[in-house]
Amino acid sequence: MRDHEPTDLDQALARAGDGAFAIGGDGRIVLWNRAAERILVYLTREAIGRLCCDVFVGQDDKGNRLCYQGCHVMTLVKLGESIQNFDMRTRTKAGRPVWLNISVLVTPGDRVPHGMVIHMFRDVTASKELLALVHERLSAPVDGDQAAVPLTRRELEILRLLAGGARTKILAERLHVSPATVRNHVQNIFGKMGVHSRLEAVAYANQRRLL
């Protein structure tokens, strides 16, 4: 059961695209929005009143448990310290593993000890898996002949522009060449690096300090 009266904040969180829940001083959930239902598949009536740690049972990327009564986040809240956003691995009600990026906001008030603690979260599973794939590819042994092929000055220039987020059309305009020529250069870069995407190419270059 909710231990606070509905407010404008409740209405704003209800309309938020990110998942949102709030807990009282006892660590029990007092607010759970529709986006939270969509992401984790727990209905509001199933989440309200439960301990936050029992719903999330979160872990970091090394398997260390993040969610427990009196967790690090709540300790910082009680100390009045600011809390940086963080990634946490958990599971949906159906058991599907998901990665969440979580931000924490402490509201002032005396209805619950230390105010109401609001958690905003979004599903970052896809980006986590992509980064893991890139890391795996970059960690794999590279063919010595392929690794020895240097990039030309023009290819390095294009690679730096790619790292800055420039698309093919912008690259062509800046270099005064056709989009087809840019695509040929990009494919040559991919071939020399042994990668298959711009993201992998930039990650490869950063890891080897080519930029």
Side-chain angles (χ1 to χ4, degrees):
M1 181 177 297
R2 303 172 79 93
D3 63 348
H4 70 290
E5 297 297 327
T7 64
D8 291 341
L9 178 61
D10 292 302
Q11 296 177 17
L13 293 177
R15 295 190 297 268
D18 287 343
F21 69 97
I23 60 174
D26 60 356
R28 295 185 182 276
I29 297 171
V30 297
L31 182 150
W32 187 264
N33 75 350
R34 290 184 179 179
E37 289 186 332
R38 172 175 51 79
I39 295 171
L40 293 178
V41 202
Y42 285 101
L43 298 177
T44 297
R45 66 173 181 271
E46 296 173 318
I48 296 293
R50 294 184 61 183
L51 289 171
C52 166
C53 57
D54 288 344
V55 173
F56 285 86
V57 197
Q59 298 179 331
D60 63 17
D61 55 1
K62 295 180 174 60
N64 299 311
R65 185 164 181 173
L66 298 176
C67 293
Y68 50 88
Q69 283 190 278
C71 68
H72 183 59
V73 168
M74 292 306 296
T75 298
L76 291 176
V77 167
K78 292 177 181 179
L79 292 174
E81 300 286 342
S82 62
I83 302 168
Q84 300 295 323
N85 70 82
F86 58 94
D87 291 342
M88 181 178 76
R89 183 173 57 196
T90 185
R91 291 182 178 274
T92 67
K93 178 184 175 182
R96 181 175 68 86
V98 292
W99 277 97
L100 304 177
N101 179 261
I102 299 179
S103 300
V104 180
L105 171 67
V106 181
T107 64
D110 55 6
R111 290 185 178 274
V112 294
H114 310 291
M116 185 171 67
V117 183
I118 298 169
H119 295 63
M120 304 289 295
F121 62 91
R122 59 183 56 185
D123 186 344
V124 294
T125 307
S127 57
K128 275 283 189 179
E129 291 178 346
L130 179 57
L131 287 173
L133 177 62
V134 170
H135 180 74
E136 180 182 341
R137 289 187 58 84
L138 294 180
S139 299
V142 179
D143 180 16
D145 291 336
Q146 182 186 62
V149 179
L151 297 179
T152 66
R153 181 177 301 177
R154 176 50 61 93
E155 288 168 348
L156 283 171
E157 183 179 9
I158 290 175
L159 186 58
R160 292 190 183 98
L161 291 172
L162 288 177
R167 298 296 182 183
T168 299
K169 182 179 178 181
I170 301 299
L171 285 169
E173 292 174 354
R174 291 187 182 181
L175 300 174
H176 305 291
V177 297
S178 70
T181 298
V182 170
R183 284 192 286 269
N184 286 337
H185 280 305
V186 171
Q187 289 304 314
N188 288 337
I189 293 170
F190 288 176
K192 289 181 178 182
M193 290 183 168
V195 300
H196 299 87
S197 72
R198 297 185 179 204
L199 177 63
E200 287 183 291
V202 172
Y204 180 104
N206 283 324
Q207 188 180 58
R208 288 159 178 78
R209 298 182 180 180
L210 298 178
L211 299 177

